[in-house]
Amino acid sequence: MAGVLSDGATERRARRMGYRRRGILDAAARVFADVGYERATLEGIGEAVGLSKTSLYYYVRSKEDLLARLLTEVTDEIGRQAAAGLPVDAPAGERLWAFVRAHVRVVCTTPAGRVLARNQDVVLGEASSRMMREARRRHERLLRSILAQGIGDGVFRPIDVRVGSSLILGALNVAGRWDSPEGAVAADRIAEELFTMVVGGIAAHPGEAAATGTGAADAQ
Amino acid sequence: MAGVLSDGATERRARRMGYRRRGILDAAARVFADVGYERATLEGIGEAVGLSKTSLYYYVRSKEDLLARLLTEVTDEIGRQAAAGLPVDAPAGERLWAFVRAHVRVVCTTPAGRVLARNQDVVLGEASSRMMREARRRHERLLRSILAQGIGDGVFRPIDVRVGSSLILGALNVAGRWDSPEGAVAADRIAEELFTMVVGGIAAHPGEAAATGTGAADAQ
Amino acid sequence: MAGVLSDGATERRARRMGYRRRGILDAAARVFADVGYERATLEGIGEAVGLSKTSLYYYVRSKEDLLARLLTEVTDEIGRQAAAGLPVDAPAGERLWAFVRAHVRVVCTTPAGRVLARNQDVVLGEASSRMMREARRRHERLLRSILAQGIGDGVFRPIDVRVGSSLILGALNVAGRWDSPEGAVAADRIAEELFTMVVGGIAAHPGEAAATGTGAADAQ
Amino acid sequence: MAGVLSDGATERRARRMGYRRRGILDAAARVFADVGYERATLEGIGEAVGLSKTSLYYYVRSKEDLLARLLTEVTDEIGRQAAAGLPVDAPAGERLWAFVRAHVRVVCTTPAGRVLARNQDVVLGEASSRMMREARRRHERLLRSILAQGIGDGVFRPIDVRVGSSLILGALNVAGRWDSPEGAVAADRIAEELFTMVVGGIAAHPGEAAATGTGAADAQ
DNA sequence: CATGAATGAGTATTCATTCAT
DNA sequence: TATGAATGAATACTCATTCAT
């Protein structure tokens, strides 16, 4: 894959670079999760990796870049986990469950996940902004495709997928704001609860409740 | 008790003070909604009201105070609207619909509402923090009481009300992040969609879908 | 003394003005003594008299003016007390004792006195600066005249009166920095100690000690 | 221990850091001496060293810190000079003379000394406050030990050493408020005058004068 | 790779002071 | 007399970022 000559050295350096970058990203995630993006300082992050704040610039373009990379990475990681181990033609219900579980798990158990769940609204510059927006779009597209499939298959009601996907993401992200439960098991229980509500709603007798809602709307 | 004459003057003055404070709060809401709390500057807010930044301090204790007041106010306003025009013994379904509609409407159509929907995670000092926390608690308590009533009446499934209320709020707040639709009508349509999903879920045949979810969980 | 016509009203007003001014000066003294001139705020002083900070400007030109008047007043008051009850031709020793006692008493037992003792070095504007400087000069002139008289009468050694007066004032002012002893009696005991040292020095056998000092000076 | 080569570089760097800090402290001393601590601005100090005001923060924690370090340093320097060249068992008279000369010299001829003499009453935060308090305590303890020794040896009268040390310090500090005489010689002459008065008092015939004082006290 | 040194731009906050009423 | 309202000027301190080494 790599060039023949500078191969060994380059790769080694790249990997070292990767290790460092990893450490930096992780440290940033922890700090961001702790005090929030705006209140976090590069010095603090540097301290957390054992590097001077200036050295950070060797690996990362800017503070915004740091956040953008972090969120992009974790977002895509969720997507990967959501698809892992599922046949391409898995039914929508199963795919949705996998998505929910992956999202909740990451959002509950990792610093980066908490950062993702909480920093939906930071205002960034053009470059970083685009990077993040695209990752988010990928994520939503995945969820929407699941919803669309379910609707096509007749297992989901014909809802507006854009509204639906937003609602679901908003609902799942609340988990990232709770005192993070330790371990995947606890996270999975939360995921189940959220999944059940999202899929089945809260009504005991869905048809009637929906009617009630409409009735109230009409009654206004 | 007060003299007939000075009464008018006094009242006028008090109202002027009110007007000013109102104007400041509103301007702050607009600015916060535009650029986010952290990037907003007191100078910018001052400009938006036509007051020097230092004059702001005549009406407000600090930037944090500004946000806390704003969010407290708008949160309580939603609660008021959610209860308006409903008999005390209204059925849970109707009450939930009123809550959803009020929340979405405010969150979609007012700057302060957008600020509320987006700034769930700002870190504030003790005083402001408490003020906001309490408002939020009041709001959640209202929603929880609705859920509890519905469960008691058998119209809602016996879900965990804490999880449920968080999920619902998270879901509703996403509306505050969309390019705000103009007018209460559009907001109400969104509210209806969200309400329908929250109540009825997205499954075409709830029982089965839920079963699917559980099945997926077992299958993992 | 006052004009025949507007007499009653004017005088009443002047006296009212006087009362207010008094209250303001006293409050300012207390506040200055508590937190220091620079950290004191007009608002705080206003509060201490039960007046809005703006109202202060009716009685006083500025914050600096407040300090200048205060210190001028208290300085002259010490001078008055130092001369009170003494025949014009009193011996220098007695006059010095009266001076020391008056100074220490005021400096120990009154807020304004403490302000005087501690705020020797505030930098003020031209007008206020001159007012204070003159009061201080009057005070020093009094002390110097006492020293000169004593030297002329042969009861004090032929010291440099300028150095001597400064030294004495510096020595006396330290008392204003101690936790102020309540009551004139305690203050008088302090005054006696300081007076004794100033007059008699600390040497057991003055002549020899002075020789020692000179010797050390020579030895360097 | 360190490599031969990097040693030089390291040391040079460390010294540069020292130089900078030194320069900053000195500049601050000059500015504080000129306009007083409260009216001094970080920007002004920065200008005086040829550094931007923000760069100051690379070397110093805060404005208070700057003052505290400065006064601590100069206070200890006086102590050092007061002890220099004296045998440990030097007589109290000589030690006192050395103390007085050192104090007056520094206070008259150095900016930091003038700052010390004049800023006895600035109100600082906890950390800086403690640092300064301790330096002052060390200084007073030295003076008190001299007084105690002298009293024990019978060369000083049995005065209250706490009162005595305060009085002396107050008396010596006045020299820091005069237009500073250039050169150590002038300062030493002032020191001699002050020393003479402190030790021998101002009375021509100490015993009688003291009696006069007491007499005045009795007569009141 | 790593960092020490330096800085510019930004920002909340304080406070004496003015002025119309 | 008294004050509510408004402001200008000042100021300490923060932090991301650059650059030479």
Side-chain angles (χ1 to χ4, degrees):
Chain A
M1 290 283 146
V4 183
L5 263 150
S6 63
D7 205 359
T10 302
E11 192 157 69
R12 219 174 302 127
R13 196 191 301 165
R15 203 174 302 161
R16 268 242 301 287
M17 166 95 160
Y19 284 154
R20 272 291 196 217
R21 214 200 288 272
R22 186 92 307 272
I24 292 173
L25 255 359
D26 287 346
R30 267 175 280 134
V31 176
F32 289 160
D34 265 14
V35 302
Y37 172 74
E38 317 269 3
R39 296 173 101 96
T41 84
L42 285 196
E43 185 150 30
I45 295 170
E47 237 171 62
V49 241
L51 234 40
S52 87
K53 74 180 160 192
T54 18
S55 301
L56 262 31
Y57 282 87
Y58 187 79
Y59 299 97
V60 157
R61 231 182 300 283
S62 69
K63 192 188 175 191
E64 292 198 347
D65 187 39
L66 205 45
L67 180 65
R69 275 176 203 276
L70 195 65
L71 295 191
T72 299
E73 193 181 78
V74 74
T75 302
D76 288 340
E77 172 60 20
I78 297 178
R80 224 169 292 126
Q81 287 190 24
L86 273 190
V88 204
D89 58 345
E94 271 179 48
R95 289 180 71 204
L96 181 60
W97 161 243
F99 183 96
V100 168
R101 191 183 52 182
H103 192 99
V104 171
R105 210 183 247 182
V106 168
V107 138
C108 278
T109 62
T110 70
R114 269 203 299 287
V115 176
L116 173 68
R118 294 173 46 180
N119 288 70
Q120 299 289 125
D121 303 288
V122 267
V123 185
L124 299 185
E126 183 47 37
S128 314
S129 209
R130 202 178 47 246
M131 191 190 289
M132 278 188 46
R133 212 177 317 124
E134 277 164 15
R136 203 175 303 186
R137 205 166 288 168
R138 279 195 295 281
H139 202 50
E140 277 207 54
R141 207 178 301 144
L142 170 57
L143 178 51
R144 285 181 195 171
S145 82
I146 296 176
L147 296 182
Q149 178 193 344
I151 293 172
D153 292 354
V155 303
F156 295 157
R157 287 191 292 109
I159 56 171
D160 181 319
V161 292
R162 274 168 322 191
V163 173
S165 63
S166 280
L167 175 149
I168 292 173
L169 254 4
L172 299 185
N173 279 148
V174 301
R177 281 202 272 270
W178 296 338
D179 290 328
S180 59
E182 293 299 327
V185 185
D188 284 357
R189 217 168 25 238
I190 292 175
E192 268 185 75
E193 282 191 79
L194 294 176
F195 178 74
T196 306
M197 275 188 240
V198 161
V199 172
I202 63 172
H205 316 293
E208 304 168 25
T212 305
T214 311
D218 292 339
Q220 61 167 312
Chain B
M1 284 289 141
V4 183
L5 270 155
S6 70
D7 209 357
T10 302
E11 195 157 68
R12 217 172 306 129
R13 198 186 305 159
R15 207 174 299 167
R16 245 222 345 264
M17 167 81 162
Y19 282 156
R20 270 292 191 224
R21 216 197 286 270
R22 187 94 304 274
I24 291 172
L25 256 357
D26 288 345
R30 267 175 279 134
V31 177
F32 288 161
D34 266 13
V35 301
Y37 172 74
E38 317 268 4
R39 296 174 100 95
T41 97
L42 279 251
E43 184 151 33
I45 295 171
E47 249 171 52
V49 239
L51 233 40
S52 87
K53 78 180 157 197
T54 51
S55 299
L56 261 31
Y57 283 88
Y58 188 76
Y59 298 94
V60 156
R61 230 182 300 282
S62 68
K63 193 187 173 190
E64 291 199 347
D65 188 38
L66 207 43
L67 181 65
R69 272 176 204 277
L70 197 65
L71 294 191
T72 299
E73 194 182 75
V74 73
T75 301
D76 287 340
E77 172 60 22
I78 297 177
R80 225 169 290 125
Q81 287 189 24
L86 272 190
V88 204
D89 57 346
E94 272 178 46
R95 289 180 69 204
L96 181 60
W97 162 243
F99 184 95
V100 168
R101 191 183 51 182
H103 193 98
V104 171
R105 209 183 250 181
V106 168
V107 138
C108 279
T109 62
T110 69
R114 267 201 302 288
V115 176
L116 173 68
R118 295 172 46 179
N119 288 69
Q120 298 289 126
D121 302 288
V122 267
V123 185
L124 299 185
E126 183 47 36
S128 314
S129 207
R130 202 180 46 246
M131 192 191 285
M132 279 189 44
R133 206 172 22 242
E134 276 164 16
R136 204 175 305 190
R137 204 166 289 170
R138 280 194 294 279
H139 201 51
E140 277 207 55
R141 206 178 303 146
L142 171 56
L143 177 52
R144 286 181 194 173
S145 83
I146 296 175
L147 296 182
Q149 177 193 343
I151 294 171
D153 292 352
V155 303
F156 294 157
R157 288 191 291 111
I159 58 172
D160 182 320
V161 292
R162 272 168 324 191
V163 174
S165 63
S166 279
L167 176 149
I168 292 173
L169 253 6
L172 299 185
N173 278 150
V174 301
R177 282 202 271 270
W178 297 338
D179 290 328
S180 59
E182 292 299 326
V185 184
D188 283 358
R189 221 175 14 244
I190 292 175
E192 267 186 76
E193 283 190 80
L194 293 175
F195 177 74
T196 306
M197 277 188 241
V198 161
V199 172
I202 62 172
H205 316 291
E208 304 169 24
T212 304
T214 312
D218 292 338
Q220 62 168 310
Chain C
M1 288 285 145
V4 185
L5 263 150
S6 62
D7 205 0
T10 301
E11 193 156 70
R12 221 173 301 130
R13 196 191 303 165
R15 203 174 304 161
R16 269 242 302 285
M17 167 95 160
Y19 284 154
R20 272 291 195 219
R21 214 198 287 272
R22 187 90 309 271
I24 291 172
L25 256 358
D26 287 346
R30 267 174 280 134
V31 176
F32 288 160
D34 265 14
V35 301
Y37 172 74
E38 316 269 5
R39 296 172 100 95
T41 84
L42 286 195
E43 184 151 32
I45 295 169
E47 238 171 60
V49 241
L51 233 41
S52 85
K53 75 179 158 193
T54 18
S55 302
L56 262 30
Y57 282 85
Y58 187 80
Y59 300 95
V60 157
R61 231 181 301 282
S62 68
K63 192 188 174 190
E64 291 197 347
D65 186 40
L66 205 44
L67 180 66
R69 275 175 203 277
L70 195 65
L71 295 191
T72 299
E73 192 182 78
V74 75
T75 301
D76 288 340
E77 172 60 22
I78 297 177
R80 222 169 292 125
Q81 286 189 25
L86 274 189
V88 205
D89 58 347
E94 272 179 47
R95 288 180 70 205
L96 182 59
W97 163 243
F99 183 95
V100 168
R101 190 184 51 181
H103 193 97
V104 171
R105 208 182 250 183
V106 168
V107 138
C108 278
T109 62
T110 70
R114 268 201 301 287
V115 176
L116 174 67
R118 295 173 46 181
N119 289 71
Q120 298 289 125
D121 303 289
V122 267
V123 185
L124 299 184
E126 183 47 37
S128 314
S129 209
R130 202 180 45 247
M131 190 189 288
M132 279 188 45
R133 210 177 320 125
E134 276 164 16
R136 204 175 304 187
R137 203 166 290 169
R138 279 194 295 280
H139 201 51
E140 277 207 55
R141 206 178 303 145
L142 170 56
L143 178 51
R144 286 182 194 172
S145 84
I146 296 175
L147 295 181
Q149 177 192 343
I151 292 170
D153 292 355
V155 303
F156 295 157
R157 288 191 289 111
I159 57 172
D160 181 319
V161 291
R162 272 168 323 190
V163 173
S165 63
S166 280
L167 176 149
I168 293 174
L169 254 4
L172 299 185
N173 278 149
V174 301
R177 281 202 272 270
W178 296 339
D179 291 328
S180 60
E182 294 298 329
V185 184
D188 283 359
R189 218 171 19 241
I190 292 174
E192 267 187 75
E193 283 192 79
L194 294 175
F195 177 75
T196 306
M197 276 187 240
V198 161
V199 171
I202 64 172
H205 316 291
E208 304 169 24
T212 305
T214 310
D218 290 340
Q220 60 168 311
Chain D
M1 285 290 138
V4 182
L5 270 154
S6 72
D7 210 356
T10 301
E11 194 157 68
R12 219 173 303 129
R13 199 184 305 158
R15 207 174 299 165
R16 250 231 329 272
M17 167 82 161
Y19 281 154
R20 271 291 191 224
R21 218 196 285 271
R22 186 92 307 272
I24 291 173
L25 256 356
D26 287 346
R30 268 175 279 135
V31 176
F32 288 161
D34 266 13
V35 301
Y37 172 74
E38 318 267 4
R39 295 174 102 94
T41 96
L42 277 255
E43 184 151 33
I45 296 170
E47 247 169 52
V49 238
L51 234 39
S52 88
K53 77 179 155 196
T54 51
S55 298
L56 261 32
Y57 284 88
Y58 188 76
Y59 298 94
V60 157
R61 230 182 299 284
S62 67
K63 194 187 172 189
E64 291 199 348
D65 187 38
L66 208 43
L67 180 65
R69 273 175 204 278
L70 197 65
L71 295 191
T72 300
E73 193 182 77
V74 76
T75 302
D76 288 339
E77 173 59 22
I78 297 177
R80 224 169 292 125
Q81 286 189 24
L86 273 191
V88 205
D89 59 345
E94 272 179 47
R95 289 180 70 205
L96 181 60
W97 162 244
F99 183 95
V100 168
R101 191 184 49 182
H103 193 99
V104 171
R105 207 182 252 183
V106 168
V107 138
C108 279
T109 62
T110 69
R114 269 202 299 289
V115 176
L116 173 68
R118 295 171 47 178
N119 288 71
Q120 299 288 127
D121 302 289
V122 266
V123 186
L124 299 184
E126 182 47 35
S128 314
S129 209
R130 203 180 44 248
M131 192 190 286
M132 280 189 45
R133 204 175 21 245
E134 276 164 17
R136 203 175 305 189
R137 203 167 289 169
R138 278 194 296 279
H139 201 50
E140 277 206 55
R141 205 177 304 146
L142 170 57
L143 178 51
R144 285 182 195 172
S145 83
I146 296 175
L147 296 182
Q149 176 193 345
I151 293 172
D153 292 354
V155 303
F156 295 157
R157 289 192 290 110
I159 57 171
D160 182 320
V161 292
R162 271 168 324 191
V163 174
S165 63
S166 279
L167 175 150
I168 292 173
L169 253 4
L172 299 184
N173 279 148
V174 301
R177 283 202 272 269
W178 297 337
D179 291 328
S180 60
E182 293 300 329
V185 185
D188 283 358
R189 222 176 12 246
I190 292 175
E192 268 187 76
E193 284 192 79
L194 293 175
F195 177 75
T196 306
M197 276 187 241
V198 161
V199 171
I202 64 172
H205 316 291
E208 304 169 23
T212 305
T214 311
D218 292 339
Q220 60 168 311

